[in-house]
Amino acid sequence: MSIYDTLNKEQKEAVLRTDGPVLLLAGAGSGKTRVLTHRIAYLIDEMGVKPWNILAITFTNKAAGEMRDRVDRLVGFGADQVWVSTFHSSCVRILRRYIDRIGYDNGFTIYDADDQKTVMKAVIRRLNLDPKIYKERNFLSAVSSAKDELISVSEFERRAAGDYNRSLQARAYREYQETLRANNALDFDDIIVKTVELFRNCPEVLDSYQERFQYIMVDEYQDTNTAQFELVRLLAEKYRNLCVVGDDDQSIYKFRGANIRNILDFEKYFPEAAVIRLEQNYRSTQAILDAANAVIRNNTGRKEKTLWTGRMGGEKVRFRQFDSAYEEAEYIAEEIARKAVKKGMEYRDCAVLFRTNAQARLLEERMIMEGVPYNVVGGTNFYSRLEIKDILAYLKTVDSGRDDVAVRRIINVPRRGIGNATLEKAEEFARLRGIGLYSAFERVDEIEGLGRAAAKIRSFVELIRKFREARSRMTVAELIQLIIEQIGYEAYLQDYDDDGEDRIANVDELITKAVNYAKTHEEATLQEFLEEVALVADIDNVNDNDNRVLLMTLHSAKGLEFPCVYLAGLEDGLFPGYMAVNSDSIEDLEEERRLAYVGITRAKDELILTSARTRMIRGETQYNPVSRFVREIPPELLESGSAFGRKTADSRAASAFTDRRRDVSQGDSGARAARGSDGVADYRPKAIVRPKVTPRADKPFIAKGIGSLNQLAGISRGAVYKAPEALTYSVGDRVSHMKYGEGKVIKIDREERDYKVTVNFDKAGQKIMYASFAKLKRL
DNA sequence: GCCTCACACGTTTTT
DNA sequence: CGTGTGAGGC
């Protein structure tokens, strides 16, 4: 009895057919991850393939981690040598070694969406275009789609000839690309594009990777774009041992350039390809699968397949319509709470999925009221919070200083009295000499007409110089702490806005992450840390051990499964979104339908669909009909219950909620700042919820599992920041500091969540610092 | 140079 | 409704 005997006939075929191209059409829940992991095991154990000759590409880091774990368990030895990672991580790894061959520096930085916007805005200004008319978003999406299709600047220009608007985009594209190059930066798309460019221009580099990756597997293949396809094609060209796994019915990233032709035309590029279909679903009940099939059937141009399951019967899919989105949220939260208490359901077995991130808020509020522990995946990424970006910009500048966007971001944070006029002079100086902004700062004495600002710039340069010098002898975490302390960042955040405390807690989380990073990586360089940070997705940080309900978009839910799934906001105009409803292309609606299919097929045992008659969107009340996707499910497959079309006990009970709601919704300006470390929202700012946190006494209240509520109660979970209960030193004591050496404590002020300590250092003089960051030791 | 206030504008979805 | 931006006053 071998591990392969547990596979069905098709799965086994996919595992055993190791040589040559294979297109594996794997329906939802058909065990494709199982096939991939067993295939890797088979290659290593039975075929004698060296683990390092195998490359497996997944969609998210989380999926990569899981795959590696499973391979680890299957193969005794060498699993850690298999490359399992995302497109982006793999490419960055390659580019770090070789990008100098195509004219970048190997120490390149990675720009996120925010940085891209900053650059494009500057481009628009430089091109003397009216920013009122030309939005950076439009240019950026034109640039991004061009890159997805591997269209170079010159190719874009050629195609744009004669078209005014296109020509403008072409100019913006060129200018944008040149700026990135000058800053030695790559955007997300470049990471793929530049790798393809490298392979095309340097045959010897390509050859070395072709030799290295003799067996290649690509998961979620339906979501690859043209650039990614070309990358894979190049790598696989020599040995042609390429196995792609996908499901055209689950292609949901067209907006990001995913090219469904990659799957439909695979056999054209690889005529010798074996096509294997996995059609047995091991995940869902027949009832759920019937609903999924009923919906997806309405799409045209699919690869025909019929999913079936051995799990006959099952509970009918439920549908409930409510008068308002509040009632919808209440129903979901209340029911989850009830199931947890009465039926002993684990919170982690349950997910609430929705179309847009904005829907999370209402659900969240309600979860808190019901005392249901939850996590929100996505929304605003942890690393795009302004306080985090500030610190990262400091780190980037310390690391290289070539990134003008980063330098510009921090030159006046905190306020140093360096304003626009000064900056423009410095930028002009830099531009004329073809150097970076930071290099210009280093030559500040040569810049004319700066007046008093020159001294301010000089001390900024000195500050960075000190950080650089300190870098070699400290960990990333220590460096961050040093920066925070030196620039007085905590105090800056404290009175930046109402969310000072939340922001400080976020910075603290960053330090915790840096500490953890050092623990898991032998050579934890600053550059690697920055890279890691740039490439994480929110879903990557979801911890399966957390016993919480997950709230997330349908996109984030791809690849996951849950015993119980709530699909919320099934309304025409929301899901499918109004864009798709009003689009003249049937394609857009079909993509939404595939999204619905993905959502439905996440459920193993229980699926509940909900919708609301009214919903507030952008301050406006919208009235939406029930989603066409619900209507596509035959009534006999649905249990529509009493809430359908009528006022119910549920909705009547909700009026109390409506009254309480007013104080809930006012002033949640802090919502953004209040996410936990992982890009997973752990709590809401006090303004929204603090007065509301009265978890019912009869609810199970698992204190340790409910980060959100701990946060609300003012309990910080950060390891580093935690305000000490009592200090180990007091006024008059001699203390030592990591950087300043020894000194005497002059004064201690108790502040809301920390102590402010004034120390007179023997060498460095008098400093005021926060106890939690300073880590003073009594002598 | 910095702060405050008023107003316009908009979101699908994300590596 | 919420955020980001721009004008105007200090």
Side-chain angles (χ1 to χ4, degrees):
Chain A
M1 172 89 185
S2 82
I3 53 169
Y4 310 103
D5 291 340
T6 57
L7 302 167
N8 70 29
K9 180 169 156 287
E10 291 76 24
Q11 290 176 329
K12 203 180 270 179
E13 193 190 343
V15 168
L16 301 186
R17 190 181 284 271
T18 52
D19 286 10
V22 175
L23 170 61
L24 189 55
L25 293 169
S30 61
K32 68 184 162 77
T33 310
R34 236 172 129 237
V35 168
L36 282 176
T37 50
H38 281 76
R39 200 166 187 273
I40 294 171
Y42 185 81
L43 281 168
I44 297 172
D45 286 345
E46 311 294 328
M47 303 291 291
V49 173
K50 301 285 176 258
W52 55 85
N53 288 142
I54 301 171
L55 170 67
I57 295 176
T58 58
F59 198 66
T60 63
N61 295 301
K62 181 173 194 273
E66 276 163 14
M67 186 170 297
R68 183 181 293 284
D69 284 349
R70 288 170 70 165
V71 174
D72 252 325
R73 265 177 272 137
L74 239 42
V75 219
F77 186 72
D80 52 326
Q81 302 273 1
V82 181
W83 262 41
V84 190
S85 68
T86 63
F87 271 107
H88 293 268
S89 303
S90 312
C91 288
V92 167
R93 229 164 125 179
I94 293 168
L95 293 173
R96 282 274 178 238
R97 269 185 85 172
Y98 293 111
I99 201 173
D100 53 343
R101 309 233 176 155
I102 53 171
Y104 283 77
D105 186 288
N106 288 356
F108 61 86
T109 60
I110 299 166
Y111 276 0
D112 66 9
D114 216 61
D115 304 322
Q116 289 181 275
K117 263 171 124 180
T118 308
V119 171
M120 195 53 96
K121 261 187 194 160
V123 166
I124 290 171
R125 231 177 302 124
R126 228 174 299 149
L127 293 178
N128 282 320
L129 297 172
D130 183 357
K132 285 253 184 302
I133 302 169
Y134 297 97
K135 296 275 163 235
E136 71 272 13
R137 192 159 2 108
N138 300 122
F139 283 137
L140 280 172
S141 76
V143 167
S144 180
S145 348
K147 289 180 178 178
D148 288 341
E149 295 295 321
L150 286 173
I151 297 168
S152 65
V153 171
S154 37
E155 173 68 19
F156 195 99
E157 283 168 340
R158 209 169 314 132
R159 295 192 191 185
D163 180 330
Y164 179 73
N165 233 333
R166 281 263 145 200
S167 304
L168 273 183
Q169 288 174 355
R171 286 174 63 198
Y173 186 5
R174 176 171 290 282
E175 195 69 25
Y176 172 84
Q177 215 49 37
E178 280 168 7
T179 309
L180 256 59
R181 165 78 72 108
N183 289 348
N184 199 33
L186 301 184
D187 65 22
F188 274 114
D189 300 317
D190 281 340
I191 291 172
I192 313 294
V193 172
K194 293 297 167 193
T195 310
V196 170
E197 195 181 318
L198 171 73
F199 285 163
R200 282 178 176 171
N201 290 333
C202 307
E204 72 286 1
V205 174
L206 173 62
D207 189 70
S208 74
Y209 281 104
Q210 285 173 334
E211 285 300 326
R212 167 87 199 242
F213 302 128
Q214 297 179 12
Y215 291 85
I216 300 173
M217 273 152 272
V218 182
D219 195 11
E220 305 285 8
Y221 181 69
Q222 75 281 352
D223 287 319
T224 53
N225 62 31
T226 301
Q228 289 164 332
F229 171 78
E230 178 63 7
L231 182 81
V232 169
R233 195 193 63 76
L234 284 165
L235 279 174
E237 207 173 20
K238 189 163 182 179
Y239 286 95
R240 302 183 80 78
N241 298 321
L242 170 64
C243 173
V244 300
V245 187
D247 177 2
D248 50 315
D249 285 337
Q250 293 187 66
S251 165
I252 55 174
Y253 281 102
K254 190 166 145 252
F255 73 94
R256 208 172 68 190
N259 188 347
I260 201 158
R261 297 245 70 84
N262 286 350
I263 206 165
L264 301 177
D265 294 346
F266 187 77
E267 295 157 83
K268 262 187 214 154
Y269 289 97
F270 297 98
E272 76 273 36
V275 180
I276 301 167
R277 289 180 153 76
L278 300 183
E279 296 180 309
Q280 180 175 2
N281 175 298
Y282 292 93
R283 180 186 294 154
S284 311
T285 62
Q286 187 71 50
I288 291 166
L289 216 51
D290 284 345
N293 283 329
V295 172
I296 200 67
R297 198 172 36 223
N298 295 285
N299 270 10
T300 56
R302 331 163 30 216
K303 286 232 174 200
E304 203 46 55
K305 64 183 112 45
T306 333
L307 272 191
W308 61 278
T309 177
R311 302 188 56 197
M312 295 313 291
E315 257 182 73
K316 267 193 183 179
V317 175
R318 225 179 321 144
F319 172 65
R320 295 285 184 275
Q321 188 185 27
F322 300 91
D323 283 339
S324 71
Y326 295 103
E327 292 164 38
E328 178 190 46
E330 179 182 45
Y331 175 83
I332 293 171
E334 201 273 331
E335 186 173 285
I336 292 172
R338 187 157 37 82
K339 277 192 221 163
V341 178
K342 297 247 171 71
K343 301 191 183 166
M345 184 193 76
E346 300 286 348
Y347 293 111
R348 71 164 73 84
D349 287 341
C350 206
V352 186
L353 311 181
F354 36 80
R355 180 68 241 269
T356 64
N357 280 307
Q359 290 169 258
R361 196 167 277 188
L362 227 42
L363 290 160
E364 241 183 304
E365 288 174 4
R366 211 55 230 194
M367 294 288 167
I368 290 171
M369 287 190 211
E370 296 290 340
V372 174
Y374 67 91
N375 267 164
V376 179
V377 180
T380 322
N381 186 308
F382 175 72
Y383 293 104
S384 41
R385 305 189 168 288
L386 85 98
E387 61 275 20
I388 302 304
K389 291 215 70 179
D390 283 347
I391 300 300
L392 294 178
Y394 268 99
L395 293 178
K396 279 183 179 179
T397 304
V398 170
D399 185 49
S400 100
R402 279 191 61 181
D403 181 350
D404 285 0
V405 174
V407 174
R408 225 200 132 112
R409 179 177 188 102
I410 55 171
I411 181 64
N412 208 26
V413 171
R415 301 272 114 93
R416 298 191 170 87
I418 299 168
N420 239 316
T422 308
L423 265 177
E424 270 168 26
K425 278 174 202 141
E427 276 170 350
E428 173 72 1
F429 180 89
R431 202 179 52 77
L432 288 174
R433 284 160 189 76
I435 60 174
L437 187 55
Y438 186 75
S439 308
F441 287 162
E442 288 180 314
R443 296 163 59 180
V444 65
D445 296 329
E446 300 171 43
I447 308 176
E448 285 173 23
L450 283 189
R452 258 169 305 165
K456 294 168 181 165
I457 290 177
R458 224 173 284 128
S459 67
F460 173 77
V461 171
E462 177 58 18
L463 187 71
I464 298 296
R465 205 190 54 72
K466 272 201 279 185
F467 291 152
R468 285 185 179 166
E469 188 214 320
R471 170 172 68 153
S472 56
R473 56 185 156 80
M474 48 178 66
T475 64
V476 175
E478 284 166 340
L479 179 62
I480 297 173
Q481 293 194 52
L482 178 71
I483 291 171
I484 289 165
E485 209 174 280
Q486 290 281 298
I487 66 176
Y489 196 58
E490 199 181 351
Y492 169 79
L493 284 181
Q494 198 66 258
D495 46 35
Y496 180 81
D497 61 15
D498 298 343
D499 307 315
E501 290 180 26
D502 295 327
R503 295 187 191 279
I504 290 168
N506 285 338
V507 171
D508 160 48
E509 274 298 329
L510 182 70
I511 295 171
T512 307
K513 280 181 177 300
V515 171
N516 289 335
Y517 185 77
K519 274 189 206 147
T520 48
H521 296 74
E522 281 290 292
E523 289 273 316
T525 66
L526 179 51
Q527 192 183 75
E528 280 171 27
F529 178 68
L530 288 170
E531 177 177 309
E532 162 115 343
V533 149
L535 295 178
V536 295
D538 287 314
I539 194 74
D540 295 337
N541 289 304
V542 172
N543 183 341
D544 298 336
N545 300 323
D546 266 3
N547 193 14
R548 296 163 186 240
V549 174
L550 282 184
L551 272 51
M552 66 189 136
T553 63
L554 289 149
H555 284 88
S556 294
K558 191 172 74 145
L560 308 179
E561 59 176 31
F562 304 89
C564 171
V565 169
Y566 290 83
L567 258 175
L570 281 157
E571 296 136 44
D572 258 39
L574 183 66
F575 186 27
Y578 68 99
M579 291 291 247
V581 172
N582 296 325
S583 165
D584 31 47
S585 161
I586 186 174
E587 288 270 297
D588 293 326
L589 198 77
E590 296 206 340
E591 171 127 331
E592 298 274 314
R593 190 175 282 111
R594 288 191 293 269
L595 204 47
Y597 178 75
V598 167
I600 294 170
T601 54
R602 296 309 95 196
K604 291 159 103 164
D605 309 318
E606 205 182 339
L607 176 66
I608 300 98
L609 313 176
T610 62
S611 74
R613 290 191 183 80
T614 63
R615 182 180 298 272
M616 283 272 264
I617 294 172
R618 293 210 292 277
E620 252 182 313
T621 306
Q622 291 199 352
Y623 300 83
N624 291 326
V626 171
S627 169
R628 64 193 68 194
F629 301 145
V630 175
R631 285 181 273 128
E632 284 166 3
I633 303 172
E636 62 270 23
L637 294 179
L638 281 182
E639 190 266 290
S640 288
S642 55
F644 191 22
R646 238 162 296 142
K647 186 112 176 155
T648 64
D650 275 322
S651 60
R652 272 194 307 279
S655 53
F657 173 40
T658 317
D659 290 337
R660 273 173 294 167
R661 178 161 54 79
R662 245 177 309 131
D663 42 304
V664 168
S665 55
Q666 67 180 325
D668 55 351
S669 60
R672 277 177 56 251
R675 290 276 156 112
S677 64
D678 347 35
V680 172
D682 277 330
Y683 60 98
R684 283 278 137 191
K686 57 233 154 182
I688 295 196
V689 259
R690 184 163 283 162
K692 299 261 101 210
V693 179
T694 9
R696 297 193 203 159
D698 59 335
K699 301 285 173 200
F701 197 68
I702 309 164
K704 81 178 206 310
I706 311 183
S708 51
L709 298 169
N710 285 342
Q711 293 284 6
L712 291 163
I715 302 164
S716 164
R717 45 190 189 113
V720 186
Y721 182 76
K722 194 155 147 213
E725 283 305 307
L727 297 173
T728 55
Y729 44 84
S730 52
V731 173
D733 283 343
R734 302 261 318 152
V735 292
S736 85
H737 182 267
M738 186 167 61
K739 173 128 198 309
Y740 300 128
E742 298 182 7
K744 190 172 158 193
V745 180
I746 305 294
K747 199 165 122 205
I748 298 178
D749 295 314
R750 176 78 248 231
E751 287 201 7
E752 201 177 338
R753 49 179 301 164
D754 204 352
Y755 292 95
K756 201 153 118 190
V757 187
T758 311
V759 183
N760 194 5
F761 288 104
D762 301 343
K763 298 217 176 78
Q766 191 161 312
K767 302 274 175 201
I768 300 170
M769 57 195 69
Y770 283 93
S772 55
F773 280 123
K775 298 265 181 60
L776 294 166
K777 285 203 185 63
R778 186 154 83 117
L779 293 174

